[in-house]
Amino acid sequence: MVLAGTLNAVPVSAGSTPADPSEQSLRALGARHGLYIGTAVDMAALDDANDPQYRQLVASQFNTVTAENVMKWESLEPTRGTYDWAPADKLIEFAKRNNQKVRGHVLVWQNQLPAWLTEGVANGTITTAQLRDLLKKHITNVVKRYKGKIWQWDVVNEAASDPWDTPAEIHLKGFWAQHLGAGYIADAFRWARAADPSALLFYNDYNLEAFGDKGLSDKTWYVYKMAKQLRQSGVPIDGVGSQGHLGTQYGNYDAFQVKEALDAFSDLGLATAFTEVDVRSQMTAGVQAGDSNEINPRLQASAGNYSVLMQACLANRHCLSYTVWGFTDKHSWVPTWFTNPPEGLATLYDESYQPKRAYNSIKADLIFSGPPYVQPRIQQNPRR
Ligand code: XIL
């Protein structure tokens, strides 16, 4: 006679009990899926001897890092012709020591350009032809310097306008389009490819999490069509990065909508990634006074949005990395950038490095997911 229950009995020995997965780091849990978990790094915080937790958490929780500022043109070449590589070199060395990949950020962007460049263009001492040469030289210098050390480069950042600024029609915005015309985008990818044939080359932007009506004021649709055009023309673009700067005051998206957008990009032959995730909230008087009635819904909404992006990334096998734009409210760009009304509470850890609900939400997503709906990543090869 077979006793009820014995057929399903699983022998348990002390040694075979799996480690509590919630004790594992995000990077270890991401590795189960081949997914890299990253953060932007503030070099001043990383260097601060009085802030050892910052360093410790960057090293232990993440296996890809992005320079929050020190690889931007104004930081690298504050004076024309004189590069200051030291802070960026430091990050690359830190990453190597901690077995981390590096996302290079950023080669072409209209913000944080050196004053000598923008002023030279404004006063006519730098001509259009010279500007194009300067851009080519900059891309070549930077990409060559870090050749073989950068996994993904954000080659072009935030080139498309937003529906709230240009409701009639999305178009290319900013300094580079204005002075060099639309062709600068393809040029930039070609120059970057020539300088490091092994780095994955990304277009990176915000407000790309999901499609809208696929009409003229749909930014995701605009960038999708642009990426498609670039691929069809043989431009060496390997991926599209969705920054993932969200706010809990907005409607935002569900995981199916976000997955649809990632799938559309990867169907073009592109890798995808979340590159700058944070989910901010308005710091009302109640929040600032510590009123839990106001704080809790914001923390939960933030966690929900982090999770939506994580689930969509896990579901798209070409989504190579999920990077947050800072991991602690102690060092987040949000309170200094969004001041009217004041915003904050945007990251995974509070100001005292306590993990918030958002941290555990994405950790749970990484733990409780697997086949058949979540499969390992498909690596991207640079376009030849
Ligand atoms: C931000 C940094 O976090 C700030 O420290 C800096 O003052 C301004 O830039 N999109 C990007 C990032 O691509 O480079 C920006 O980083 C945030 C928005």
Side-chain angles (χ1 to χ4, degrees):
M1 191 179 92
V2 177
L3 292 174
T6 52
L7 283 178
N8 293 327
V10 178
V12 176
S13 69
S16 70
T17 310
D20 179 354
S22 73
E23 300 280 309
Q24 294 178 43
S25 65
L26 296 177
R27 66 183 280 177
L29 293 166
R32 295 176 61 232
H33 310 284
L35 175 66
Y36 284 78
I37 310 296
T39 183
V41 176
D42 171 343
M43 289 311 290
L46 196 74
D47 272 348
D48 185 351
N50 297 316
D51 197 352
Q53 273 169 298
Y54 185 88
R55 235 183 140 75
Q56 192 267 326
L57 286 171
V58 176
S60 61
Q61 292 290 328
F62 303 98
N63 52 1
T64 171
V65 290
T66 308
E68 185 169 357
N69 286 300
V70 299
M71 288 191 194
K72 293 171 180 173
W73 197 339
E74 72 171 4
S75 304
L76 289 177
E77 198 186 5
T79 309
R80 187 169 179 175
T82 310
Y83 276 84
D84 175 13
W85 303 107
D89 286 356
K90 226 173 189 173
L91 179 63
I92 302 238
E93 284 153 21
F94 179 91
K96 194 172 173 202
R97 273 202 306 283
N98 292 291
N99 196 18
Q100 294 165 316
K101 291 187 184 269
V102 182
R103 295 196 80 263
H105 179 81
V106 53
L107 297 173
V108 193
W109 190 29
Q110 58 272 15
N111 289 0
Q112 294 179 275
L113 289 170
W116 62 261
L117 182 77
T118 49
E119 283 166 13
V121 170
N123 67 26
T125 55
I126 295 175
T127 66
T128 299
Q130 287 168 338
L131 181 65
R132 191 166 179 277
D133 283 350
L134 283 165
L135 181 62
K136 179 177 182 181
K137 218 164 81 189
H138 177 71
I139 290 176
T140 306
N141 285 342
V142 177
V143 176
K144 277 206 168 142
R145 164 117 192 155
Y146 296 118
K147 188 171 180 219
K149 297 179 177 168
I150 300 289
W151 179 32
Q152 308 172 7
W153 263 115
D154 287 334
V155 177
V156 176
N157 196 35
E158 302 183 354
S161 66
D162 288 290
W164 52 83
D165 288 330
T166 61
E169 191 167 3
I170 307 295
H171 54 70
L172 294 181
K173 70 178 182 193
F175 182 84
W176 296 104
Q178 201 181 316
H179 295 288
L180 300 182
Y184 84 90
I185 294 181
D187 288 341
F189 280 98
R190 293 197 176 102
W191 295 330
R193 172 63 84 239
D196 183 354
S198 67
L200 294 175
L201 305 183
F202 275 68
Y203 176 78
N204 192 51
D205 213 330
Y206 59 91
N207 196 17
L208 291 190
E209 293 81 19
F211 289 115
D213 64 0
K214 301 187 177 170
L216 292 177
S217 62
D218 182 341
K219 183 173 177 178
T220 308
W221 183 240
Y222 179 89
V223 171
Y224 170 77
K225 284 187 299 176
M226 181 177 84
K228 187 173 183 182
Q229 180 61 45
L230 291 170
R231 288 293 287 187
Q232 281 171 353
S233 322
V235 173
I237 175 176
D238 304 306
V240 169
S242 180
Q243 294 182 359
H245 292 294
L246 297 175
T248 61
Q249 67 272 40
Y250 306 119
N252 299 331
Y253 313 104
D254 63 47
F256 302 109
Q257 293 172 296
V258 178
K259 176 182 184 295
E260 184 198 348
L262 296 180
D263 287 350
F265 286 114
S266 60
D267 284 349
L268 297 175
L270 296 163
T272 62
F274 283 105
T275 56
E276 308 187 8
V277 180
D278 56 12
V279 189
R280 61 190 189 270
S281 288
Q282 295 191 359
M283 304 293 280
T284 60
V287 169
Q288 293 186 45
D291 180 353
S292 58
N293 283 302
E294 296 208 18
I295 293 172
N296 288 335
R298 286 173 169 78
L299 295 179
Q300 290 168 22
S302 181
N305 283 294
Y306 269 98
S307 177
V308 160
L309 301 187
M310 179 59 86
Q311 290 179 7
C313 182
L314 284 167
N316 176 264
R317 297 188 66 191
H318 299 270
C319 185
L320 301 180
S321 52
Y322 182 104
T323 291
V324 295
W325 204 245
F327 60 90
T328 165
D329 290 339
K330 185 173 182 186
H331 300 287
S332 164
W333 74 306
V334 168
T336 47
W337 201 264
F338 300 90
T339 53
N340 187 24
E343 298 188 60
L345 300 178
T347 70
L348 299 174
Y349 291 81
D350 71 13
E351 293 184 15
S352 317
Y353 294 109
Q354 292 309 302
K356 291 153 59 175
R357 200 165 289 282
Y359 174 87
N360 279 329
S361 292
I362 62 168
K363 179 171 260 190
D365 292 333
L366 291 168
I367 294 171
F368 302 124
S369 55
Y373 297 117
V374 172
Q375 298 280 340
R377 308 301 85 187
I378 295 170
Q379 291 311 316
Q380 183 80 5
N381 293 317
R383 182 171 201 172
R384 297 286 164 228

